[in-house]
Amino acid sequence: MARPKWYDRFTQPNFIAGIGILVARSYIDFSHPGNMEILRYLALTVALFMVSILGYLYFSSKFGPNAQEKIFVKNSQLYPDEFGLEPSTPEEKFQVTVAVYDTTRLWGLVKKVVITCTIGFALHLYLDAPIPLLMLCITQPSGIYKHQLFKIHILRKDPKLIRSLRRPWPNPPLSIPFGKNGFFAENIRKYREMSEEYDKLLAEQDSVGPTKQAAVASKTPKTKASKKKKK
């Protein structure tokens, strides 16, 4: 049974984080040093809990009962583009094991969590503000919970029965400005288009050849400076 749209909207990590921050700041005085220390210990506990979950997902993906099953994937499905861009050339499918696919997608999740937590802790230490830690304590565990690996290896849901869990999975969504239509992706897309046009021009010049180039040069009209030299 499909879930209603309001459920997906109100269970997004960012929405939950916003409500959690409003509630926490309404009832907790973070200007008190003791409350800030409690928040830091809470954030550290959440980080250790996420490390243990990610470690379990790795071993379950690598040595699980279905680890040696074969699936067909494209390169962009195994290694999604960092900025969510589509491949510029057609791709062919190749065969990999479930263990390789799951551990590769897990590595992408680990990189996202590590980068986000590093930025959050750095902002907290630099600004001495509680909001970055509150965001980390809510959004990162929620993101791991919503990942397909968590649902398969921890919640024990069968991918053969649930269409959304069947491999290969769609590429993970990226946030602006790192999303598909974000600032960085737009500039990278323009750079790719310019480089492709430049390569086409070079290929056309190489296809002309030196003899045709010389013939074209001989047909070009002579300038006034060359006429004066002859005189």
Side-chain angles (χ1 to χ4, degrees):
M1 183 178 178
R3 291 175 175 173
K5 292 183 178 180
W6 64 264
Y7 179 86
D8 294 332
R9 181 176 298 176
F10 291 109
T11 55
Q12 292 294 324
N14 292 336
F15 179 81
I16 298 173
I19 297 298
I21 290 172
L22 288 175
V23 173
R25 297 201 67 180
S26 299
Y27 291 96
I28 302 174
D29 182 14
F30 288 105
S31 61
H32 192 277
N35 293 334
M36 188 66 78
E37 288 294 326
I38 293 173
L39 178 60
R40 288 170 182 169
Y41 283 119
L42 176 63
L44 183 59
T45 304
V46 171
L48 294 176
F49 177 73
M50 289 192 296
V51 169
S52 62
I53 292 294
L54 294 174
Y56 177 81
L57 289 177
Y58 173 79
F59 283 103
S60 181
S61 302
K62 189 79 171 176
F63 307 107
N66 302 323
Q68 299 307 317
E69 291 184 2
K70 303 288 186 178
I71 59 173
F72 287 91
V73 297
K74 297 179 181 179
N75 189 65
S76 60
Q77 294 172 333
L78 186 62
Y79 302 102
D81 190 90
E82 294 291 337
F83 295 94
L85 300 177
E86 298 295 335
S88 56
T89 57
E91 295 183 295
E92 294 183 359
K93 290 186 176 182
F94 55 93
Q95 198 175 46
V96 296
T97 62
V98 170
V100 172
Y101 181 80
D102 285 7
T103 53
T104 304
R105 295 302 295 266
L106 177 62
W107 175 240
L109 176 63
V110 169
K111 287 194 297 183
K112 184 178 179 179
V113 171
V114 169
I115 292 173
T116 307
C117 290
T118 302
I119 295 174
F121 277 104
L123 289 174
H124 166 71
L125 294 175
Y126 181 75
L127 301 174
D128 197 22
I131 293 179
L133 292 186
L134 290 172
M135 289 285 292
L136 293 179
C137 292
I138 299 173
T139 58
Q140 298 310 301
S142 178
I144 294 175
Y145 173 78
K146 287 180 171 290
H147 201 275
Q148 293 91 340
L149 289 171
F150 187 92
K151 296 177 181 179
I152 293 173
H153 295 289
I154 294 181
L155 300 182
R156 301 297 180 183
K157 294 184 178 181
D158 191 355
K160 296 178 182 178
L161 301 178
I162 303 175
R163 185 179 297 273
S164 61
L165 299 180
R166 294 177 187 174
R167 303 173 181 89
W169 307 315
N171 294 340
L174 300 173
S175 59
I176 296 173
F178 298 98
K180 192 181 223 180
N181 300 318
F183 172 78
F184 295 106
E186 186 67 25
N187 282 276
I188 290 176
R189 191 181 296 111
K190 290 180 181 179
Y191 173 77
R192 286 185 178 179
E193 292 176 355
M194 291 175 62
S195 62
E196 289 176 0
E197 292 179 359
Y198 181 71
D199 293 338
K200 288 180 182 178
L201 289 175
L202 290 179
E204 290 176 358
Q205 290 179 0
D206 293 338
S207 63
V208 171
T211 55
K212 292 184 178 180
Q213 290 180 359
V216 172
S218 63
K219 292 180 182 180
T220 55
K222 296 179 181 180
T223 59
K224 293 182 180 180
S226 61
K227 291 179 179 179
K228 288 182 180 180
K229 287 183 180 178
K230 287 185 177 179
K231 290 180 180 180

